[in-house]
């Protein structure tokens, strides 16, 4: 029977698209499924098509940036993450988890040995998103890596006092 088709990730999204449905959220989810399967080029193409129509949809832009980074296209990935991070304070009112662009850009900066830039970005993000553990966690890890355990532990202590 067809019951197995419904259990396949992406089936509903592909079926919807084939029937003429054009949900940007659904297509972004489908692109993520492609990326998780290793079909990065297919995911990239779908996301570029989506962003040509709706360039300011943060989940699609962040997904494309992550995929570009995985495809070893760091300059383009950084530009997309930076644009999303810059707009995250505004887009956070409409879309949840827009702070993820800041995390992704800080990670990209770290792996390209630009820890001072990453820390500056995370310091600002901590003010913008004081309750987001992922921001504090990454900042703490980078502080430990660059400045030792004391600054890292202070950051974690501050977060615990303010959020637990």
């Amino acid at each position: 029977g067809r019951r197995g088709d419904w259990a396949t990730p992406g089936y509903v999204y592909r079926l919807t698209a084939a029937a003429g449905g054009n949900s940007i959220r659904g297509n972004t989810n489908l692109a993520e499924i492609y990326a998780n399967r290793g079909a990065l080029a297919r995911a990239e193409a779908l996301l570029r098509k989506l962003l040509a129509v709706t360039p300011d949809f943060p989940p699609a832009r962040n997904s494309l940036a992550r995929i570009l980074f995985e495809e070893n296209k760091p300059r383009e990935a950084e530009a997309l993450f930076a644009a999303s991070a810059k707009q995250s304070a505004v887009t956070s009112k409409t879309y949840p988890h827009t702070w993820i662009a800041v995390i992704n850009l800080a990670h990209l900066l770290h792996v390209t040995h630009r820890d001072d830039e990453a820390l500056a970005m995370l310091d600002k993000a901590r003010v913008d998103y004081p309750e987001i553990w992922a921001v504090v966690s990454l900042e703490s890890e980078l502080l430990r890596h660059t400045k030792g355990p004391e600054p890292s532990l202070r950051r974690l202590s501050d977060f615990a006092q303010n959020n637990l």
Side-chain angles (χ1 to χ4, degrees):
R2 298 199 52 160
R3 189 177 337 155
D5 288 343
W6 291 98
T8 304
Y11 176 77
V12 173
Y13 300 122
R14 288 190 304 272
L15 184 66
T16 301
N22 194 16
S23 160
I24 190 162
R25 288 182 192 273
N27 283 319
T28 301
N29 290 340
L30 181 58
E32 280 295 320
I33 291 168
Y34 292 154
N36 291 337
R37 290 181 181 165
L40 297 177
R42 190 172 185 186
E44 178 186 345
L46 179 56
L47 289 166
R48 286 187 187 281
K49 182 178 173 184
L50 292 172
L51 289 169
V53 176
T54 312
D56 293 327
F57 185 63
R61 192 172 46 222
N62 292 336
S63 291
L64 178 58
R66 182 185 53 77
I67 289 165
L68 291 169
F69 185 72
E70 289 179 26
E71 292 178 317
N72 200 27
K73 299 175 184 176
R75 284 194 179 116
E76 192 176 0
E78 183 177 344
L80 286 171
F81 281 141
S84 289
K86 184 177 179 183
Q87 295 175 350
S88 68
V90 173
T91 58
S92 67
K93 293 170 180 53
T94 307
Y95 301 101
H97 307 292
T98 57
W99 48 264
I100 196 71
V102 175
I103 297 293
N104 287 331
L105 180 55
H107 177 71
L108 187 148
L109 293 170
H110 170 65
V111 299
T112 57
H113 311 289
R114 293 157 58 196
D115 288 331
D116 288 341
E117 290 177 67
L119 284 167
M121 176 175 295
L122 290 167
D123 188 54
K124 181 186 178 314
R126 187 174 27 82
V127 172
D128 294 341
Y129 308 102
E131 74 286 354
I132 302 298
W133 168 248
V135 171
V136 174
S137 176
L138 181 57
E139 183 181 24
S140 174
E141 182 59 27
L142 291 181
L143 284 169
R144 186 189 63 75
H145 177 75
T146 59
K147 300 180 191 276
E150 288 298 321
S152 174
L153 290 172
R154 266 194 309 274
R155 186 67 70 233
L156 295 174
S157 178
D158 291 346
F159 180 80
Q161 286 179 351
N162 294 325
N163 293 285
L164 299 179

